[in-house]
Amino acid sequence: MADHYEVLGVSRDATPDEIKKAYRRLARELHPDVNPGADASERFKLVTHAYDVLSDADQRARYDMGGSDSPFGGGQAGFGGFGDIFETFFGSGGGQRAGRPRSRRERGQDALVRVTLDLKDVVFGVHRDLEVDTAVLCDTCQGSCCQPGTAPVACDICHGSGHVQRTVRSLLGNVVTNQPCNVCQGYGTTIPYPCATCQGQGRVRARRTVSIDIPAGVETGLRLQLPGSGEVGPAGGPNGDLYLEVTVTPHDEFSRDGDDLLATLEVSMPDAILGATTTIESLDGPVDLELRPGVQGGDVLTIKGRGITPLRGSQRGDLRVGVHVVTPTRLDAKERALIEEFAKRTKSPAPRLAEFHQGLFAKLRDRFRNG
C-alpha cells in the first residue's frame, strides 16, 4: 500500500496546513472534471484517502505508529476510541445528519445601521433613504455560484450524499462511521466552473438603498426591525434582517417627557405683572400664548395636542411651557425709583422660606408619571 505522505508529496513531519495545501493542489490537478484520465482518477482517490487519514490527528497518530492506514497499526487487532462509537450513532460533521448533504443556501447575516434624528422627526415621523453596505445577489449567476451555462455536479467520492462511510473495529465489532466528504465539504456536489464575478459565493458586496418610514414616537436606543432587509445569504439564501438603532439629538429649545414636549418661556416682570399675549415658535409652527396678569415663575402653560405622537397610538401629547420670570439686574435711577415706589405701595412682605421646589418641571413630571 502506498505511503500516504508520499502520495501527498509531503514529509512525515509536515504541518496540518502543509498537508491541506498539498491536498488542494493535487485535487485541483487530478479532479475528474479537470483530468478525465483513468490514471488521474485512481490517483485522485489515493490522494483523497491519504488526506482523510493525515488530516485527522488521531488517525494520523495511529498511522504513524503502525505504518499503515489501519487505525490499529500494521493490521493488528485493537480497539477504537469512544469517538468512533459516538460517530457510529451520531455521525460527525457539526450536527449534519448522515445521508443528507449540506445546503449551499444559507440565511444571510443580520445588519445594524445607526440613524440620527432631530426632535422634529420624532414628533411627526420621517422618511429616510439609507445607504447600506451589504451582500447582494450576484447578477451574473443569480445565486447558483456557477458560471452561466454550467451547474454543480455530483461528487464522485461521496456520490452526492455529502458524507463518506468508514468501517472501524471496536469492542462492539465492526462499526460504521459517517464523516463529511472532504472533497465536496459535505455539499454532495462540486462546482467545476465557479462564477468569476462572485468567486462561487452566489453573492457580492455592494451598496444599496433602503427606504424606510420611521414612525413618530421613537426614542434614543430604540431598534426598529426590517425583516428581510439584511444581507443575502450564501448561494442566494434568504436575506437576514436589518435593524435601525435610533439616536435623537438634543434640541436647543424643547425637551421630551414621555409624549409631552417641554419648553421654557422667559417673561419680563412687567408682562408677568400686567399679563400679555405672545407668539412662540413650536415644532408645528407659530402658536399664540396668553399670559394672565400675575403669572408666577414656575407656572406651567399647557398647549393641547402639540406634543409627540406615541409610537403605538394616534393621540398626541401636549406642549407644556414653564414660565421663567426674568428679574432685571441693571436699573437706572428712574427705574429704581419706580420699583421702590411700587414696593411701598404694595407693601410687599419680607423674604421668607416657602415650599421646597426641586426644579421647574418637578411637579409636572410627577403628575405625568403617576397619573
Side-chain angles (χ1 to χ4, degrees), residues 11 46 86 259 272 283:
S11 63
L46 287 174
F86 279 109
D259 294 332
L283 295 177

Short mmCIF file of all heavy atoms in Angstrom, two decimals, residues 11 46 86 259 272 283:
data_model
loop_
_atom_site.label_atom_id
_atom_site.label_comp_id
_atom_site.label_asym_id
_atom_site.label_seq_id
_atom_site.Cartn_x
_atom_site.Cartn_y
_atom_site.Cartn_z
N SER A 11 6.60 15.70 3.77
CA SER A 11 7.43 14.96 4.71
C SER A 11 6.58 14.44 5.86
O SER A 11 5.44 14.88 6.07
CB SER A 11 8.54 15.87 5.26
OG SER A 11 7.97 16.94 6.00
N LEU A 46 -6.57 8.02 -4.33
CA LEU A 46 -5.48 7.80 -3.37
C LEU A 46 -5.17 9.08 -2.59
O LEU A 46 -4.95 9.07 -1.37
CB LEU A 46 -4.22 7.31 -4.10
CG LEU A 46 -4.24 5.87 -4.63
CD1 LEU A 46 -2.98 5.60 -5.46
CD2 LEU A 46 -4.34 4.87 -3.48
N PHE A 86 -19.26 6.97 19.20
CA PHE A 86 -20.25 8.04 19.11
C PHE A 86 -20.53 8.42 17.67
O PHE A 86 -21.66 8.70 17.29
CB PHE A 86 -19.77 9.28 19.89
CG PHE A 86 -20.01 9.18 21.36
CD1 PHE A 86 -18.96 9.00 22.25
CD2 PHE A 86 -21.30 9.23 21.87
CE1 PHE A 86 -19.18 8.90 23.60
CE2 PHE A 86 -21.53 9.13 23.22
CZ PHE A 86 -20.48 8.95 24.10
N ASP A 259 -44.68 61.54 26.12
CA ASP A 259 -45.26 62.02 24.87
C ASP A 259 -45.44 63.53 24.88
O ASP A 259 -46.00 64.11 23.93
CB ASP A 259 -46.62 61.35 24.61
CG ASP A 259 -46.48 59.86 24.36
OD1 ASP A 259 -45.41 59.45 23.87
OD2 ASP A 259 -47.43 59.11 24.67
N ALA A 272 -45.23 89.82 33.37
CA ALA A 272 -45.73 88.90 34.39
C ALA A 272 -46.77 89.60 35.28
O ALA A 272 -47.75 88.98 35.70
CB ALA A 272 -44.57 88.38 35.24
N LEU A 283 -42.70 73.36 17.31
CA LEU A 283 -42.28 72.49 16.21
C LEU A 283 -43.36 72.37 15.14
O LEU A 283 -43.10 71.90 14.03
CB LEU A 283 -41.91 71.11 16.75
CG LEU A 283 -40.69 71.08 17.68
CD1 LEU A 283 -40.45 69.68 18.23
CD2 LEU A 283 -39.44 71.59 16.98
#
